[in-house]
C-alpha cells in the first residue's frame, strides 16, 4: 500500500503582507517522485522554502512529514527528521572545497541504503576529480552534482529539489534525471520543482501545477504528457 511521507494541507505562505501560497494541498508518498510545475513567479520556490520554514516566510496550514506536523518546527529540526534541500542556484560556499561540503553534510546511517561520500563520488566521478577545489569554482553542472551529493549524504527520506535543470548542459540534465530515478529506487522520495516540462515528465511519476500560488491541476506524469491542452493552458507550451 502507498504510504504518505509528506502531506501538505491548506498551506498558506506570506512574505510580509504578500499572500503567496493559497490553500495549497498535495502529497508525496514513500519512494514516490512528484513534480510541481509552474511558470516563473508562481510560488514554486516559496513552496519548498515553506515546507522547511526557510527565510522570513510566514506560514499557516499543516505540513505533515512522516506523520508529524512540522509547520511550526525550526528548519534544522525538520531537516533532521529526514528532509534535504537542493536549492535553486545551489548555494555552495566559496570557502569550502567539494570534499568539505560533502563531509559537513554527511550523516552516517545504519541501513543498507546508506549514502556515503564514497557512493556519492561513485555516482558523480566528475566531482571526485575536483575534491580539493572550492565549491563555487566548479562548472554549473558540477555545482549541481555537488548540491545533489550534499543532499544525498544527509541520508534523507525526502529531497526537495528546486529547478535542477536551470543553468546546466543537456548532458548533466540527463544525469540528474537518472539520479532522480535511482534515488527513488533506494527509497528516497523526491519533490521536484521545475519549469522544464520535459525534465519533470521524465524525472517524476506525478505532477501538480501551481498558478499564482494555487494548485490548479494534478495528474500522473503519463496523463499530463498526453494532455496538450492543459500544458498549453497552464505552462504556455
Ligand atoms: N524574499 C521574497 N520577498 C518577497 N516576495 C518574494 C520573495 N521571494 C519571492 N517573492 C515573490 O513570491 C512570488 C513567488 O516567487 P517564487 O516562489 O520564487 O516563484 P517561482 O519559484 O515559481 O518562480 C513572486 O511574486 C515573487 O516575487
Ligand atoms: Mg523558483
Amino acid at each position: 500500500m502507498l504510504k504518505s511521507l509528506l502531506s501538505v494541507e491548506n498551506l498558506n505562505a506570506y512574505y510580509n503582507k504578500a499572500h503567496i501560497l493559497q490553500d495549497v494541498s498535495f502529497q508525496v508518498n514513500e519512494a514516490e517522485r512528484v513534480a510541481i510545475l509552474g511558470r516563473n513567479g508562481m510560488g514554486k520556490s516559496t513552496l519548498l522554502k515553506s515546507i522547511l520554514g526557510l527565510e522570513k516566510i510566514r506560514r499557516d496550514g499543516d505540513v505533515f512529514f512522516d506523520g508529524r506536523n512540522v509547520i511550526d518546527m525550526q528548519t534544522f529540526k525538520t531537516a533532521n527528521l529526514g528532509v534535504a534541500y537542493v536549492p535553486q542556484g545551489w548555494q555552495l560556499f566559496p570557502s569550502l572545497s567539494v570534499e568539505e561540503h560533502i563531509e559537513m553534510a554527511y550523516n552516517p546511517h545504519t541501513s543498507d541504503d546508506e549514502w556515503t561520500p564514497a557512493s556519492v563520488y561513485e555516482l558523480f566521478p566528475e566531482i571526485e576529480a575536483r575534491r580539493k577545489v572550492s565549491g563555487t569554482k566548479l562548472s554549473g553542472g558540477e555545482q549541481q552534482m555537488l548540491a545533489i551529493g550534499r543532499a544525498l549524504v544527509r541520508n534523507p527520506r525526502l529531497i526537495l529539489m528546486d529547478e535542477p535543470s536551470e543553468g546546466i548542459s543537456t548532458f548533466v540534465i540527463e544525469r540528474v534525471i537518472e539520479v532522480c530515478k535511482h534515488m527513488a529506487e533506494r527509497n528516497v522520495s523526491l519533490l521536484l520543482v521545475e519549469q522544464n516540462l520535459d525534465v519533470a515528465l521524465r524525472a517524476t511519476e506525478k505532477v501538480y501545477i501551481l498558478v499564482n500560488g494555487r494548485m490548479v491541476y494534478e495528474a500522473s506524469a503519463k496523463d499530463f504528457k498526453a494532455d496538450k491542452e492543459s500544458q498549453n493552458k497552464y505552462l504556455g507550451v
Side-chain angles (χ1 to χ4, degrees):
M1 210 181 75
L2 289 180
K3 189 161 176 286
S4 165
L5 183 63
L6 178 76
S7 181
V8 173
E9 297 173 16
N10 301 308
L11 176 66
N12 288 278
Y14 311 78
Y15 291 107
N16 294 316
K17 288 195 174 141
H19 189 177
I20 307 296
L21 298 181
Q22 317 217 4
D23 282 322
V24 167
S25 300
F26 68 98
Q27 296 213 345
V28 181
N29 293 319
E30 280 187 350
E32 188 179 39
R33 292 171 281 132
V34 171
I36 309 280
L37 283 155
R39 292 192 235 204
N40 203 19
M42 292 301 177
K44 302 181 301 298
S45 295
T46 303
L47 176 57
L48 297 189
K49 290 174 191 167
S50 300
I51 291 169
L52 280 170
L54 286 165
E55 296 181 9
K56 285 200 164 40
I57 302 175
R58 190 159 56 81
R59 40 186 191 155
D60 64 56
D62 295 307
V63 175
F64 293 98
F65 179 72
D66 198 23
R68 287 179 68 176
N69 202 340
V70 301
I71 189 74
D72 293 321
M73 205 176 264
Q74 288 170 284
T75 301
F76 80 96
K77 289 188 181 157
T78 305
N80 285 343
L81 291 177
V83 184
Y85 177 47
V86 181
Q88 191 165 16
W90 317 307
Q91 294 178 17
L92 301 170
F93 300 100
S95 59
L96 296 184
S97 65
V98 166
E99 197 169 67
E100 286 164 339
H101 278 93
I102 297 285
E103 293 296 337
M104 207 168 80
Y106 180 41
N107 176 27
H109 194 66
T110 46
S111 86
D112 294 344
D113 279 341
E114 186 185 49
W115 288 93
T116 61
S119 61
V120 162
Y121 292 135
E122 200 177 309
L123 190 66
F124 295 125
E126 294 91 335
I127 60 170
E128 178 169 33
R130 311 205 63 193
R131 281 169 77 144
K132 303 287 179 198
V133 176
S134 153
T136 52
K137 290 262 160 54
L138 304 176
S139 71
E142 289 163 349
Q143 291 195 48
Q144 185 63 263
M145 294 177 201
L146 177 53
I148 294 173
R150 176 175 65 173
L152 287 172
V153 292
R154 292 188 50 79
N155 282 295
R157 297 178 64 195
L158 172 69
I159 293 189
L160 312 178
M161 212 183 270
D162 198 344
E163 302 222 26
S165 73
E166 197 181 53
I168 62 175
S169 68
T170 49
F171 171 75
V172 183
I173 290 175
E174 292 306 314
R175 297 281 303 281
V176 170
I177 293 170
E178 285 312 307
V179 169
C180 290
K181 293 178 184 165
H182 177 64
M183 65 196 204
E185 282 161 12
R186 290 179 62 171
N187 259 327
V188 182
S189 304
L190 173 68
L191 179 60
L192 172 75
V193 151
E194 262 299 341
Q195 279 196 60
N196 184 320
L197 173 64
D198 179 58
V199 171
L201 289 177
R202 291 177 51 215
T204 68
E205 305 161 291
K206 185 165 184 190
V207 302
Y208 291 89
I209 298 177
L210 263 183
V211 175
N212 293 326
R214 287 185 183 276
M215 224 43 127
V216 297
Y217 183 93
E218 166 186 355
S220 68
K222 188 164 164 278
D223 287 349
F224 187 54
K225 192 173 181 183
D227 187 354
K228 302 286 181 206
E229 196 183 318
S230 296
Q231 290 177 21
N232 187 292
K233 180 173 169 193
Y234 297 123
L235 305 174
V237 294

